[in-house]
Amino acid sequence: GTGSKTLAVGENTISLLVKAEDTNVTKTYRVVVTRAEASTNVNLADLKVDGVTVTGFNKNTNEYTLTPVAANKSSINITATAEDTTATITGTGTKTLSTGNNSFDVVVKAQDGTTINTYTINVKRLSNDALLKSLSVTSNPSGSLVPSLASGTVESPYTVGPNVTEV
């Protein structure tokens, strides 16, 4: 036969009939085409942050928490290598860090187009904010902060009565 042939997974036999020009002689040829099944491998072979393999990396572990990073570190670079080169990986590249907790997903999709596996990287960016958010002082009877302690102020008097010996 001529033209395209649809292939199923596994063995496919394609027959070709050849006829001589000047006779009724024909000969049939068979070609057996074996189509492999699409891979379902969604494992990573390696997972790196800033060029270094994540501590304790194991292809069967899907979540990693990194050591907190300094406040002046504004980004990390995530790279990943799949066990199967036919798999696709998303979620890699340079990631901007917010102050506090950050979470990034690296998703591996198998060649079959439906099987997926997600690896999560958690990293905390430390804060360099040393400003006081609030302050409460208690005593019996209560005293008062006058004026109240405001952000950026490093000292504020707290006045109590003569019988208060503890705050």
Side-chain angles (χ1 to χ4, degrees):
T2 59
S4 298
K5 303 296 180 195
T6 301
L7 299 176
V9 173
E11 285 189 6
N12 298 265
T13 301
I14 301 171
S15 297
L16 304 163
L17 180 64
V18 177
K19 185 176 182 181
E21 284 183 342
D22 61 351
T23 67
N24 288 331
V25 176
T26 61
K27 183 150 181 122
T28 301
Y29 295 88
R30 285 182 185 78
V31 177
V32 177
V33 178
T34 303
R35 178 180 167 205
E37 190 168 343
S39 173
T40 58
N41 185 336
V42 288
N43 293 324
L44 287 180
D46 199 5
L47 180 61
K48 293 182 178 182
V49 173
D50 294 336
V52 177
T53 298
V54 172
T55 301
F57 174 74
N58 179 307
K59 67 181 180 181
N60 298 315
T61 302
N62 291 83
E63 188 167 3
Y64 299 91
T65 300
L66 305 181
T67 303
V69 298
N72 65 352
K73 184 160 182 67
S74 61
S75 66
I76 60 172
N77 187 50
I78 299 172
T79 57
T81 305
E83 279 186 347
D84 185 341
T85 58
T86 64
T88 58
I89 300 172
T90 57
T92 57
T94 301
K95 305 296 179 181
T96 301
L97 296 173
S98 299
T99 299
N101 295 321
N102 296 266
S103 182
F104 303 104
D105 288 340
V106 175
V107 179
V108 183
K109 184 184 271 189
Q111 182 185 33
D112 71 0
T114 57
T115 308
I116 63 167
N117 191 10
T118 302
Y119 293 84
T120 302
I121 297 173
N122 300 305
V123 59
K124 180 178 183 179
R125 179 180 178 197
L126 300 175
S127 172
N128 62 0
D129 181 358
L131 296 176
L132 186 65
K133 302 290 185 239
S134 68
L135 175 68
S136 75
V137 180
T138 57
S139 61
N140 190 5
S142 65
S144 61
L145 285 170
V146 179
S148 63
L149 194 60
S151 181
T153 305
V154 294
E155 185 176 314
S156 182
Y158 181 72
T159 306
V160 295
N163 296 330
V164 175
T165 59
E166 229 177 57
V167 292

